[in-house]
Amino acid sequence: MAAPRLDMACEDLSAFQESLRVMRKIDDNIVHALNTTIPTPSFAEKANATNQCQGLYQQLLESYEKREKAIKSCIGETSREVQTLKDKRTNDPDNFELLKELRKKQTKFRLMQNELNIEEVVKDRSLRVFYERCRFYYKPPDLKL
């Protein structure tokens, strides 16, 4: 249930958000993944819940790292675009089209920054669910709730 490999489309905000939605599939399906990972007491001897939980935790961490890196990369790219437009605006303060483009890029920049906040909420929710279901089988050393 690893997150799919996607190249982020930073220039198109809708494509950027859609890519994140697809990449967050593992978090959306965390309850289902845990239900299929953690055996009921009657099946506990047939499955190794510790290994299952540890594997799922690794998938979650990889997904978080990949998404955070992609978001920060797009934020950096958009930030540079905003700065370039600000510099142009300084040289040509009466250019209405330039102002319009600058406002559009600034809005896009704020929405991308907001995705980092959304990422924290998604991550916190998934890790809490993970902890509740796997705490008896696997306790990651770096998990802080």
Side-chain angles (χ1 to χ4, degrees), residues 2-145:
R5 168 113 176 96
L6 293 175
D7 293 326
M8 294 302 283
C10 299
E11 65 280 348
D12 181 0
L13 184 62
S14 295
F16 169 78
Q17 290 173 325
E18 178 62 19
S19 295
L20 286 175
R21 186 190 66 75
V22 171
M23 292 173 80
R24 288 179 176 141
K25 200 73 132 172
I26 189 170
D27 294 281
D28 294 340
N29 296 328
I30 188 77
V31 173
H32 174 71
L34 287 166
N35 285 342
T36 58
T37 298
I38 308 300
T40 60
S42 60
F43 291 103
E45 293 121 23
K46 295 178 184 173
N48 187 339
T50 301
N51 288 343
Q52 299 282 353
C53 286
Q54 189 172 9
L56 182 59
Y57 184 71
Q58 280 307 119
Q59 287 178 0
L60 286 170
L61 289 184
E62 289 169 13
S63 177
Y64 299 150
E65 184 178 323
K66 190 181 297 182
R67 291 191 317 242
E68 187 173 331
K69 183 178 177 183
I71 293 168
K72 286 182 177 180
S73 171
C74 285
I75 286 173
E77 184 180 313
T78 305
S79 175
R80 288 186 293 279
E81 291 172 358
V82 167
Q83 190 58 49
T84 301
L85 288 171
K86 281 182 177 180
D87 294 342
K88 287 181 183 178
R89 178 95 171 110
T90 305
N91 298 331
D92 190 6
D94 297 328
N95 187 337
F96 181 71
E97 288 301 314
L98 193 57
L99 176 63
K100 222 164 76 169
E101 183 65 20
L102 176 60
R103 297 289 182 240
K104 185 175 156 187
K105 291 290 182 187
Q106 286 174 328
T107 299
K108 178 180 161 185
F109 177 71
R110 283 190 295 275
L111 289 170
M112 287 183 168
Q113 283 182 315
N114 191 45
E115 286 297 333
L116 279 178
N117 296 331
I118 292 169
E119 189 64 25
E120 283 302 312
V121 170
V122 168
K123 183 178 175 181
D124 185 56
R125 177 191 157 271
S126 294
L127 289 176
R128 285 188 189 284
V129 170
F130 173 86
Y131 177 76
E132 286 300 316
R133 293 294 305 276
C134 283
R135 68 179 180 240
F136 299 117
Y137 306 105
Y138 176 68
K139 290 184 184 177
D142 56 345
L143 183 61
K144 295 172 180 76
L145 293 177

